Amino acid sequence: MEKFLHFDFCALFVFAILLISMLLRKNIRRNVEKWYFAMLLAAIVSTVSDICAVLFDNAGEGYVVAKYVFHTLYLFSHNLTAPMYLCYLVTQTDTWHKVRRSVIHKVCMILPIVVLLVEFITNPFWDGIFYLNEQDGYTRGPH
């Protein structure tokens, strides 16, 4: 099945405009802008890795390592945007002091990232998130 990249290229164009706008304004001084910038970079990495993954998928059989790398990078960076958004909101509302005081809050913020990282690093060994079928095609879900 042929996959299309039209929306990815449009998203990349929008992200480039946002990034250029931030850099030209030199608007990365406060912590709020730093978290926004980090989310923007994660979105750019997600979009670029999705484009690369689809290009390798459309290339047909082979390129197994590249497919695993780009699909993993896409899924990880895509899922990383939610915890980054949480950090952005905590910074925006100036409530880091509440997070620092509570061990439960720290664990709740760090644990999802650690679990994601472990799942994506170990995925090639247990194929729980995605795998490549007999024709080296990307397939989501357990094997």
Side-chain angles (χ1 to χ4, degrees):
M1 179 171 103
E2 186 81 13
K3 297 177 185 175
F4 297 102
L5 298 170
H6 300 88
F7 292 117
D8 285 323
F9 288 125
C10 290
L12 201 56
F13 180 73
V14 170
F15 292 148
I17 290 173
L18 291 172
L19 185 64
I20 291 168
S21 172
M22 280 192 79
L23 294 175
L24 287 178
R25 289 187 192 172
K26 298 180 180 152
N27 200 13
I28 312 173
R29 293 187 188 107
R30 298 181 318 156
N31 283 338
V32 174
E33 284 89 12
K34 288 177 184 176
W35 279 110
Y36 181 79
F37 185 71
M39 285 190 312
L40 185 59
L41 286 180
I44 290 170
V45 167
S46 176
T47 304
V48 169
S49 57
D50 187 36
I51 289 170
C52 292
V54 169
L55 289 175
F56 279 110
D57 285 344
N58 288 343
E61 291 184 29
Y63 311 106
V64 174
V65 174
K67 288 179 182 181
Y68 265 107
V69 167
F70 285 117
H71 282 292
T72 300
L73 186 60
Y74 163 70
L75 290 170
F76 182 72
S77 59
H78 182 75
N79 286 307
L80 191 62
T81 55
M84 288 178 129
Y85 185 64
L86 176 63
C87 292
Y88 171 77
L89 289 177
V90 169
T91 304
Q92 184 77 17
T93 57
D94 197 25
T95 52
W96 276 112
H97 61 282
K98 292 182 180 183
V99 174
R100 286 188 195 107
R101 260 190 304 196
S102 172
V103 174
I104 294 173
H105 288 144
K106 289 178 190 174
V107 169
C108 286
M109 289 185 76
I110 294 172
L111 189 62
I113 298 169
V114 172
V115 168
L116 276 173
L117 187 61
V118 169
E119 283 183 344
F120 284 119
I121 288 174
T122 60
N123 183 61
F125 306 108
W126 63 282
D127 294 334
I129 300 172
F130 71 91
Y131 65 96
L132 300 178
N133 61 21
E134 295 81 24
Q135 294 82 26
D136 295 333
Y138 172 78
T139 308
R140 279 198 185 179
H143 200 303

